[in-house]
Amino acid sequence: MGPRLCKLSFRSLRDLFLLLILIAVLSSMMTLHMSSYLPWLQSQPELKVHVDGHLNIYRSLQLSQKREDGSRKRLLFHGRKKMSEEHRALVARLLQLEEQSLPLKTSPIVILAEGSLSAVKHEVPLLESAFSQLGAKVKFKVIEDSDNKDDNVDEDMYATNKPTWRVLMCLNTSRPNTCRDTGQHLDQRDFQRMNVIPALHALLFDPQVMCQGVGSTGQWQGGPLPCYKLLEDVRALPSSQPGDKSGGGCGERTMWVLHAGRQGGQPSIRECEELKQLTKGPDWKAGVAVKLPPRLFHVGVQPLMVQFHVLVMSFSPLRLYLHSEALTWEGISSYLSKKPQRSLTLGELQQLMRDSRGHQVSMDQLEEAIVDALLLLESADKHLQDQTHARCHSCFQLLEVATVFNTSFHPFILQIKPYTHTGKMASLNEYLVRQRILEDLAAMLVARDTVVMDIAKGLGELGLTNLYNEGVCNSDQSFCLSKGDLIFSLNNRREQLHHGSFIKLYPSTAAVKYTHLLQAVNQDGDEVDDIEGATDQHSSTVELHSYLLSLESYFAHMEEEETIEAYDDMNVPIDFDGITSAKSSARGPNITEVQSRVACDNDPASMPYLVNIVTKPSIDLMPEFSPLTTEYRAVVGYDMLLITVWAFAKSCSSQARLEDKHGNKREANFTLGIGENRISIYVVDMSHADPWVLNTYTLIIERQGPDYQQTSFLPGLPHQVCSLTQDCSLRFLKTSSCGLKPVYQERSWARFMEKMMSLPQCQDGDVKGQWYVPCTDCNDSPSCYWKQALWQPDTCSYKWLPRGKVQQCFAGKKVLFIGDSTNRGIMHYISERVNNTLLEWDKTHHLKVYNNLNNNTTTFSFAYYPQFWLPAEHRPVFDKALFQLIKKNSPLENSTKTVLVIGGVHWLAKHHIDVVIKALRREGLTGVQLVVKGLGAGFHQPVSGVHCLSQKEQQRFLSHNQATLKYARQSGFSIVDTFNMTMARYRDFLQGKCACHFHRVSMTKTSYNPSNAVGSKHSLSSSYSESSQTVYHVEGEINAVYSEMLISQICGPS
């Protein structure tokens, strides 16, 4: 009898169906109930982004970014959800515009060059070299003042019905009237580019326009240099006054740059009286005199003159780039006479100034001066209302910006002129620089990447999704982007993917600093055109400023989310644009010479070896380098904070990689913390999908401390008492003095200490203070005993609690730490204080609980935040990280027996305080003790992969820190302010990329009895005997100071 088959009746099917419905309903109810306890799943009110040309969208976007859980969820949502009809229509519109602005893939890339015979002779080979590697063909036409011409161009190429050229390079840019046929090409297709912007070109040849002001006097390029418009007479020049030392008149010997006429002639250098005589001559027409600044920065005996190369990809609205390669001259007269010069990268220029000044010099002022000048020129063009120059929104222009610096390294722009193609170049350096500039330019001009989805997501994030005529608007049509604005946005994004050595100046995430200037120069400007008539034209920079800031911020956030890299320390996001200064300085001025000395070979036996290791600054390796020796040591002084390392493989089939096998090829920058710094160099075989490590070389560089020359401190001997508020090499307090200052009332360190100890205990952790240190001479920092240094306010004193009091205070407490590695260092320090010793530690970047401290009466736990190395979809937001930390330590007592400590280097902000308060209310923990550690010093060295903050940015963090801590105090937090104390001694950092660590855990061996340990899990293990055990110690005097302040805030005054 065969097997019996089960047959389902109609009733059984109905019952099964009802059962499935019941299960689905129960599942939905459980999900809804559980979601109320999950903070990162709670619904958030959508941030309404009202895009208005007269409002600052940038602030709105910043607000949305601060709501981390909401913004990141929206980003994931945009990437995964099915595209709505509205977004589908937006993408279709953008695809249509991108198709119009890009040539067909099958069309040839033809570059036309027009110019004089000399210009064509010398420039066409450069153009061919730059464009040919991109599959382009260069054709040329010789245009002289006469009608004679010689070319290899068919006139049909210019026909508008079948344009075949992609880029027109006009080489006659050294005069107001450029190429003979230029005017015929202004109606070219959207994908055709021309290297002359007519409106900008005309302004550059009018020095009267460059002298911004009312009447005959003004400011040159809108900057600090005074200028005088000299027309038919010289009455505009200041009169000589006896004893005039103001710099305005001719009483003192002053030098002036004279820009004569409107023909763009080379300026000349004149003394003030000589200038007056010249302008009285019969041949004088008109000009502008610009007074040179005093105290110029010199190289040798002559002032340094630098010519920077600026690329204007759009004039109105502005899109601006600065190339990293520059030309320099020793003396302004050498520049004017075009004598041979040398080339210099921006990184090398920074190094030159750093060597002169003794600390890092930012290029921010230079970038600001260039952007300011171009914004003022755009404003001048708008106010002149000159209709003789047709608008060309697909035109671009290279500019040469001649600049000098004063001894404070403030830049002064003396001349902005079109990039010259006049023929023979003055030196090989100039030829190589031009070649690299044209190569980077070529990559930007012929790029045809599709960037529609990037722009569509950005517009969606800003609420600009409603199609209107040929543009898009926000929901209430209070702000619209025209067709031209959308093409501008597409080109802007595409160029960002191929900018090469061009540094983007505007628009950028840092461009918010130009808001006030734009408002000032356009305060009399017209209102934004009505959207009915604005759909096919380009807006001005001021009209798009807020929109561009928001879009750039969105792209920066998007790139940050998509980049996944693991670093030992993750306190702030990686610098995704690349650290230009770090990369440039890593090359070093002699890198070509270095590379020329280290030719590789094809011997298979050479594959595991290096042929050379080079450092800048140069250091003495012990032993001397040999390919067979893999470990080297060196000792460097306290002032060496950064070192660049080059490594070269002996075999042509191998590569040298720094940090790890996927690290930088050949060279990288490394911070040098006080003490030992280990640098690993891997020799890898790149013939495999995953590189094989063949050998590892190690550099152990010991950086000496600030008092390494000192012997043991003897308190009975007389010492000067010196105070330190801020280091002169990184000033962050604008109104305070810098450097060591003697405290004249105290000549004895012992008496000074007695006086300080007699002061009452500080009740708060943010009392204003400064460092005090005993020195032989306050003018000689190495004579100071920095291990004795004391952080001291004037009205109270931070006293350390005895160990017994600390143990008693922490007994029965659960202390929850959330933050980065600086907060983890505080936790390890307090663990050692509570536990008598430290037997267990790690560099956890996750969540960990230590429940065996203080004879098992104290629990510490730590959650690492922010985890920037994780993919976006796996990276917990602050609310979730805090929720996980609380649940891991449950149950928690709603009293001061539970302590929550938050803090980090630079990530902490007001909204984190709000998240904590909201989470504690939700969990019924409003009675716990709250402590916040303020911001700290860090990220001041140009290291690859980690952003480097300028001095201005460090100063802004001071205000940010003060505002955040004030808000935290109002929210019930106790405060431990670490910003001023770490910034004052920022050079005393210990090992770590971020230059933000002031602690280090060292391993020691000591005779140790487990029965004396207080609550260590090792002491509970029977496998441990009374023999010598490995124990750890937390080093770092600065970390100890603010850790003790935190103990005082938890335990109260002694």
Side-chain angles (χ1 to χ4, degrees):
M1 187 174 179
R4 183 178 179 179
L5 298 176
C6 292
K7 295 185 178 180
L8 295 176
S9 65
F10 172 77
R11 182 175 180 178
S12 63
L13 286 172
R14 184 186 64 183
D15 293 343
L16 180 60
F17 181 69
L18 291 174
L19 179 62
L20 291 174
I21 292 177
L22 179 61
I23 292 173
V25 171
L26 291 174
S27 175
S28 300
M29 292 177 64
M30 291 177 64
T31 302
L32 180 63
H33 180 71
M34 292 174 64
S35 67
S36 64
Y37 295 96
L38 299 178
W40 56 92
L41 292 179
Q42 293 177 0
S43 62
Q44 299 286 345
E46 287 298 323
L47 175 67
K48 181 184 179 184
V49 184
H50 180 69
V51 186
D52 189 331
H54 300 286
L55 296 178
N56 195 335
I57 309 175
Y58 180 77
R59 292 196 297 268
S60 298
L61 187 67
Q62 290 292 84
L63 178 60
S64 69
Q65 289 176 345
K66 289 179 179 178
R67 299 182 181 179
E68 299 175 41
D69 48 352
S71 65
R72 289 180 178 173
K73 188 167 68 176
R74 284 198 300 273
L75 283 175
L76 294 176
F77 180 67
H78 278 300
R80 295 176 179 174
K81 73 172 183 177
K82 185 178 180 180
M83 192 179 299
S84 66
E85 289 298 328
E86 188 178 65
H87 279 77
R88 185 179 291 110
L90 174 62
V91 170
R93 172 65 53 83
L94 292 173
L95 283 171
Q96 180 184 13
L97 294 178
E98 187 176 66
E99 186 176 343
Q100 295 176 13
S101 62
L102 291 178
L104 296 175
K105 289 185 177 180
T106 56
S107 62
I109 305 175
V110 178
I111 314 299
L112 295 185
E114 296 182 357
S116 66
L117 178 61
S118 176
V120 167
K121 177 182 177 182
H122 292 93
E123 291 290 333
V124 167
L126 283 173
L127 294 173
E128 289 177 335
S129 174
F131 283 96
S132 61
Q133 54 188 321
L134 300 173
K137 184 176 182 180
V138 178
K139 293 182 175 292
F140 65 87
K141 174 183 287 188
V142 176
I143 300 176
E144 301 289 0
D145 293 333
S146 64
D147 293 333
N148 297 328
K149 64 179 183 179
D150 181 23
D151 59 57
N152 64 348
V153 175
D154 296 329
E155 289 297 330
D156 286 344
M157 278 194 172
Y158 294 111
T160 56
N161 60 342
K162 58 168 191 175
T164 58
W165 57 272
R166 178 84 65 87
V167 181
L168 172 62
M169 297 293 294
C170 177
L171 306 182
N172 291 353
T173 57
S174 60
R175 55 194 183 194
N177 299 319
T178 55
C179 298
R180 181 189 64 185
D181 299 307
T182 296
Q184 303 174 15
H185 308 312
L186 292 178
D187 58 348
Q188 69 257 30
R189 303 287 182 88
D190 288 332
F191 64 83
Q192 293 179 306
R193 313 298 294 270
M194 186 175 72
N195 74 324
V196 175
I197 303 176
L200 172 61
H201 196 78
L203 291 172
L204 295 177
F205 285 90
D206 187 356
Q208 307 286 338
V209 173
M210 312 290 273
C211 185
Q212 302 278 334
V214 179
S216 60
T217 63
Q219 302 299 121
W220 183 249
Q221 300 287 352
L225 295 182
C227 58
Y228 297 87
K229 301 176 184 178
L230 309 179
L231 302 177
E232 308 306 330
D233 53 46
V234 296
R235 286 177 294 178
L237 274 177
S239 301
S240 301
Q241 298 293 335
D244 179 12
K245 297 184 180 181
S246 64
C250 295
E252 296 291 313
R253 181 180 179 183
T254 55
M255 302 301 292
W256 296 71
V257 179
L258 176 62
H259 298 266
R262 291 179 53 93
Q263 300 304 311
Q266 191 76 337
S268 58
I269 299 293
R270 306 283 180 172
E271 289 191 19
C272 191
E273 294 296 342
E274 181 186 8
L275 183 63
K276 288 190 173 184
Q277 296 300 321
L278 178 68
T279 54
K280 291 178 181 179
D283 298 329
W284 175 255
K285 295 297 182 183
V288 172
V290 183
K291 181 181 176 297
L292 282 175
R295 297 183 299 278
L296 291 178
F297 175 73
H298 284 62
V299 175
V301 297
Q302 294 291 336
L304 177 68
M305 186 78 180
V306 186
Q307 177 180 288
F308 298 101
H309 303 96
V310 172
L311 173 61
V312 184
M313 291 299 281
S314 172
F315 183 40
S316 183
L318 187 64
R319 201 160 70 245
L320 192 62
Y321 299 85
L322 170 66
H323 201 270
S324 63
E325 301 267 1
L327 295 172
T328 64
W329 289 264
E330 294 185 14
I332 301 176
S333 57
S334 296
Y335 162 76
L336 297 177
S337 60
K338 290 303 178 185
K339 292 183 178 179
Q341 70 289 86
R342 59 167 293 191
S343 61
L344 203 67
T345 66
L346 294 182
E348 292 165 1
L349 178 62
Q350 282 184 291
Q351 186 64 43
L352 174 66
M353 294 180 173
R354 179 174 182 165
D355 293 342
S356 173
R357 188 78 178 263
H359 63 85
Q360 185 68 26
V361 176
S362 171
M363 292 287 106
D364 286 355
Q365 288 183 321
L366 170 67
E367 296 175 4
E368 291 174 17
I370 294 172
V371 176
D372 288 352
L374 267 297
L375 289 175
L376 289 167
L377 283 173
E378 183 199 10
S379 174
D381 175 59
K382 180 179 178 182
H383 287 92
L384 287 175
Q385 297 293 322
D386 189 349
Q387 301 300 321
T388 61
H389 301 288
R391 294 291 177 182
C392 178
H393 294 292
S394 60
C395 294
F396 66 95
Q397 188 146 7
L398 274 167
L399 306 177
E400 297 174 355
V401 180
T403 309
V404 292
F405 296 83
N406 64 10
T407 52
S408 299
F409 302 111
H410 181 89
F412 297 91
I413 296 177
L414 299 185
Q415 185 183 29
I416 300 178
K417 64 177 182 177
Y419 188 83
T420 55
H421 305 274
T422 53
K424 187 176 180 180
M425 280 150 259
S427 67
L428 177 62
N429 284 327
E430 184 179 1
Y431 180 87
L432 295 175
V433 169
R434 285 178 177 268
Q435 185 179 47
R436 288 188 284 267
I437 291 174
L438 289 176
E439 287 174 354
D440 291 331
L441 175 63
M444 296 175 73
L445 291 176
V446 303
R448 51 167 300 108
D449 306 66
T450 179
V451 292
V452 165
M453 293 309 298
D454 286 353
I455 299 298
K457 288 181 180 180
L459 294 177
E461 187 74 12
L462 300 180
L464 290 164
T465 56
N466 298 298
L467 301 187
Y468 192 94
N469 291 344
E470 292 188 303
V472 295
C473 300
N474 60 350
S475 58
D476 61 1
Q477 295 186 353
S478 60
F479 180 82
C480 293
L481 296 175
S482 68
K483 170 187 172 182
D485 298 334
L486 292 176
I487 293 177
F488 177 95
S489 302
L490 290 167
N491 291 335
N492 176 49
R493 181 61 178 161
R494 188 178 302 108
E495 291 164 7
Q496 184 64 27
L497 304 178
H498 298 276
H499 60 78
S501 295
F502 279 107
I503 304 163
K504 195 174 186 180
L505 300 186
Y506 189 92
S508 69
T509 55
V512 67
K513 56 191 171 186
Y514 305 116
T515 302
H516 294 304
L517 174 65
L518 282 166
Q519 292 172 346
V521 298
N522 290 277
Q523 56 186 338
D524 298 326
D526 298 330
E527 296 295 320
V528 181
D529 292 333
D530 184 77
I531 57 175
E532 295 288 346
T535 53
D536 194 30
Q537 66 181 23
H538 287 257
S539 304
S540 64
T541 305
V542 68
E543 292 166 346
L544 290 186
H545 179 64
S546 295
Y547 158 72
L548 293 174
L549 283 177
S550 301
L551 199 63
E552 291 293 317
S553 297
Y554 168 75
F555 287 143
H557 186 72
M558 182 179 69
E559 291 166 3
E560 171 188 326
E561 292 283 357
E562 293 174 350
T563 302
I564 306 168
E565 294 207 37
Y567 287 90
D568 180 57
D569 184 79
M570 290 290 171
N571 288 307
V572 300
I574 304 163
D575 183 1
F576 300 96
D577 289 332
I579 312 302
T580 303
S581 58
K583 293 178 180 178
S584 300
S585 61
R587 295 190 193 103
N590 299 317
I591 185 60
T592 304
E593 179 185 349
V594 170
Q595 290 174 332
S596 67
R597 298 200 305 261
V598 287
C600 59
D601 60 46
N602 294 311
D603 184 358
S606 301
M607 288 188 66
Y609 302 112
L610 294 178
V611 68
N612 200 7
I613 298 175
V614 181
T615 65
K616 181 186 176 182
S618 179
I619 59 176
D620 295 327
L621 297 179
M622 298 176 291
E624 291 186 3
F625 177 80
S626 166
L628 302 179
T629 304
T630 58
E631 182 171 300
Y632 300 88
R633 290 184 174 270
V635 178
V636 300
Y638 170 70
D639 292 329
M640 189 182 295
L641 309 183
L642 187 76
I643 191 169
T644 306
V645 179
W646 289 269
F648 302 91
K650 187 172 176 58
S651 170
C652 300
S653 301
S654 306
Q655 285 187 5
R657 296 291 177 93
L658 290 101
E659 299 184 272
D660 60 56
K661 66 179 182 180
H662 299 289
N664 290 359
K665 179 182 176 182
R666 281 190 175 174
E667 81 272 359
N669 283 5
F670 296 90
T671 55
L672 296 179
I674 292 176
E676 281 194 356
N677 302 266
R678 301 180 72 89
I679 300 174
S680 298
I681 305 171
Y682 297 87
V683 184
V684 297
D685 180 358
M686 297 301 297
S687 62
H688 307 275
D690 188 48
W692 287 9
V693 177
L694 306 177
N695 203 354
T696 303
Y697 291 75
T698 304
L699 303 184
I700 303 174
I701 303 176
E702 180 184 353
R703 177 173 162 238
Q704 296 170 322
D707 53 0
Y708 67 93
Q709 297 178 344
Q710 291 290 19
T711 57
S712 299
F713 177 68
L714 299 176
L717 296 179
H719 295 93
Q720 269 194 313
V721 179
C722 310
S723 65
L724 175 68
T725 303
Q726 60 180 337
D727 195 304
C728 292
S729 60
L730 186 58
R731 300 186 62 159
F732 63 98
L733 299 167
K734 297 181 179 179
T735 59
S736 300
S737 61
C738 65
L740 288 167
K741 304 296 180 185
V743 181
Y744 295 106
Q745 296 84 353
E746 301 294 339
R747 297 289 180 175
S748 166
W749 180 254
R751 287 199 300 272
F752 173 78
M753 288 296 294
E754 289 175 5
K755 178 181 177 181
M756 293 301 103
M757 291 301 102
S758 66
L759 295 174
Q761 171 80 0
C762 294
Q763 301 296 314
D764 299 319
D766 59 346
V767 183
K768 183 179 178 181
Q770 55 189 328
W771 287 102
Y772 291 92
V773 60
C775 303
T776 304
D777 183 358
C778 293
N779 294 320
D780 183 18
S781 181
S783 73
C784 299
Y785 294 85
W786 285 101
K787 287 185 173 58
Q788 308 299 320
L790 180 71
W791 177 258
Q792 181 63 53
D794 294 332
T795 57
C796 60
S797 179
Y798 289 111
K799 299 179 176 64
W800 293 19
L801 291 176
R803 186 182 303 276
K805 291 283 187 180
V806 174
Q807 293 172 338
Q808 181 181 350
C809 164
F810 280 89
K813 288 186 185 295
K814 287 186 176 181
V815 186
L816 286 61
F817 294 84
I818 182 170
D820 54 35
S821 54
T822 59
N823 228 21
R824 187 179 60 206
I826 294 176
M827 182 194 68
H828 285 143
Y829 177 90
I830 301 178
S831 298
E832 184 176 0
R833 285 275 277 148
V834 168
N835 216 42
N836 278 340
T837 189
L838 190 64
L839 290 180
E840 182 185 6
W841 79 282
D842 54 43
K843 290 185 177 181
T844 180
H845 288 80
H846 302 286
L847 194 156
K848 187 159 185 177
V849 178
Y850 305 85
N851 53 14
N852 45 27
L853 302 173
N854 203 10
N855 201 24
N856 295 323
T857 64
T858 302
T859 297
F860 283 2
S861 57
F862 175 76
Y864 196 100
Y865 180 85
Q867 297 180 0
F868 284 109
W869 62 95
L870 292 178
E873 63 270 23
H874 298 301
R875 186 184 307 160
V877 295
F878 184 68
D879 197 1
K880 183 175 180 180
L882 179 60
F883 177 82
Q884 291 173 339
L885 178 63
I886 292 174
K887 291 305 178 185
K888 189 73 172 179
N889 286 275
S890 295
L892 293 173
E893 185 176 328
N894 186 26
S895 70
T896 55
K897 289 291 185 181
T898 302
V899 183
L900 177 64
V901 182
I902 69 172
V905 180
H906 287 161
W907 60 266
L908 185 66
K910 290 181 181 179
H911 74 279
H912 295 103
I913 305 298
D914 292 333
V915 169
V916 170
I917 298 302
K918 181 180 177 181
L920 294 179
R921 287 174 181 167
R922 183 181 61 237
E923 300 296 330
L925 295 172
T926 55
V928 305
Q929 187 175 3
L930 301 174
V931 185
V932 60
K933 181 195 83 71
L935 309 187
F939 303 98
H940 42 73
Q941 299 299 314
V943 180
S944 302
V946 177
H947 75 214
C948 179
L949 300 177
S950 66
Q951 184 173 358
K952 281 189 176 180
E953 290 170 319
Q954 298 280 3
Q955 291 170 349
R956 283 197 291 268
F957 267 116
L958 171 64
S959 301
H960 176 74
N961 179 66
Q962 292 171 342
T964 302
L965 295 186
K966 180 180 179 181
Y967 187 74
R969 181 185 297 282
Q970 295 170 350
S971 302
F973 282 76
S974 298
I975 308 297
V976 176
D977 189 356
T978 60
F979 189 78
N980 289 33
M981 71 167 63
T982 54
M983 283 292 290
R985 295 179 64 182
Y986 81 97
R987 293 191 293 173
D988 291 359
F989 65 90
L990 305 182
Q991 187 176 20
K993 265 192 171 186
C994 63
C996 65
H997 293 151
F998 295 91
H999 72 280
R1000 173 177 52 224
V1001 179
S1002 60
M1003 183 175 65
T1004 61
K1005 286 242 181 196
T1006 182
S1007 179
Y1008 175 71
N1009 189 338
S1011 62
N1012 293 332
V1014 183
S1016 167
K1017 71 176 184 180
H1018 296 309
S1019 67
L1020 303 178
S1021 173
S1022 59
S1023 64
Y1024 276 74
S1025 66
E1026 296 188 8
S1027 60
S1028 176
Q1029 301 286 338
T1030 300
V1031 296
Y1032 302 94
H1033 172 61
V1034 182
E1035 300 177 356
E1037 297 88 359
I1038 299 175
N1039 177 76
V1041 170
Y1042 54 69
S1043 296
E1044 291 291 341
M1045 291 168 60
L1046 193 141
I1047 291 174
S1048 296
Q1049 291 303 300
I1050 294 176
C1051 300
S1054 58

